[in-house]
Amino acid sequence: MPELPEVETTVRGLRPVLEGRVLTSVDARRADLRRAFPVDLRQRLTGARVIGLGRRAKYGMIETDRGDTMIFHLGMSGRWRIEPESLGPHDHLILETDAGVRLALNDARRFGSVDMVPTADVAAWPPFAALGPEPLGEGLSGAYLARAFDGRVAPVKALLLDQRVVAGLGNIYVCEALNLSHIAPRKPAGHIARAALERLVVAIREVLNAAIEAGGSTLRDYARPDGQLGYFAKQWRVYGREGEPCPCGKGTVERMVDSGRSTFWCRACQH
């Protein structure tokens, strides 16, 4: 599934071709993805000017001058294609701009979604209302995590994956950040010292920013809007590296499974 860096990379790739442009054509080529397209999608977008693009958690947002924001989720395999040579069977939403640029939302598995929300109501939109702070924003700090983890005996990894605690963190990047900050994934969150939480915040940002810079971690079908693949997978410290030496130089990467998700870590350096 495309995670936060993949969505951020997508938004940054769309910005140069969409921001400030008028949408001259909007074509939903099927009725739904994971759920139905908004029935008034074409009416609300056609002729609208895009005035901003952004991201919240793992959702991308396209804001228009009509007071609406189109919110998209890439699901398991979704991606935007800019100026595709031809349209394929999995190009389900087609946008064209006044600059003559065509964009296609491609989603082979159709686990993605598209919603239209009044811009003034975006923060209160149900999928956003209960989200925690953005991991790259000022809301995430050692002090915040200390409050969120206070008295909690749940494993730190499980809480970091809870979108109500921190928005947008996924399995790959939590594994990487915990290794970088030398925190064991199963350690009770409420037992982590404040200094370690400060290291964790720094590690989360470092891992996410490195992944964004590298264009994301390509898993299965993900690619950036320009068609290029993300290369952060080549920089993974522990994820998918079971049996290999940990970058700490003291131990070997191990794999364990919790709630159906693989966790990669090093018992020599993560305590």
Side-chain angles (χ1 to χ4, degrees), residues 120-140:
D121 298 336
V122 164
W125 187 53
F128 288 178
L131 288 176
E134 285 288 322
L136 296 176
E138 295 181 357
L140 182 65

Side-chain angles (χ1 to χ4, degrees), residues 46 68 80 82 109 138 141 150 187 243 254 256:
T46 303
D68 290 321
W80 284 95
I82 298 174
R109 300 178 187 180
E138 295 181 357
S141 65
D150 186 37
K187 185 165 185 172
E254 301 179 33
M256 57 185 176

Side-chain angles (χ1 to χ4, degrees), residues 30-69:
R30 58 175 297 116
D32 58 7
L33 294 178
R34 178 160 50 94
R35 56 178 176 269
F37 282 114
V39 294
D40 55 355
L41 180 68
R42 181 180 290 108
Q43 176 184 350
R44 292 168 74 174
L45 285 181
T46 303
R49 185 178 298 276
V50 175
I51 60 174
L53 290 94
R55 176 194 54 75
R56 180 70 168 115
K58 300 177 186 178
Y59 292 84
M61 301 183 293
I62 301 174
E63 182 184 354
T64 77
D65 63 352
R66 292 181 177 173
D68 290 321
T69 295

Side-chain angles (χ1 to χ4, degrees), residues 19-30:
E19 194 162 45
R21 309 312 315 188
V22 173
L23 299 176
T24 57
S25 175
V26 178
D27 181 20
R29 303 175 75 206
R30 58 175 297 116

Side-chain angles (χ1 to χ4, degrees), residues 184-225:
R186 285 180 174 170
K187 185 165 185 172
H191 296 176
I192 301 174
R194 176 67 176 271
L197 293 178
E198 297 287 355
R199 291 200 310 269
L200 177 58
V201 170
V202 172
I204 288 170
R205 290 180 174 148
E206 183 175 329
V207 166
L208 291 178
N209 281 321
I212 292 167
E213 182 68 23
S217 298
T218 297
L219 294 174
R220 299 187 178 94
D221 306 315
Y222 172 73
R224 296 181 295 188

Side-chain angles (χ1 to χ4, degrees), residues 98-110:
D98 57 344
V101 176
R102 182 165 64 176
L103 301 96
L105 178 57
N106 181 286
D107 189 352
R109 300 178 187 180
R110 301 202 307 273

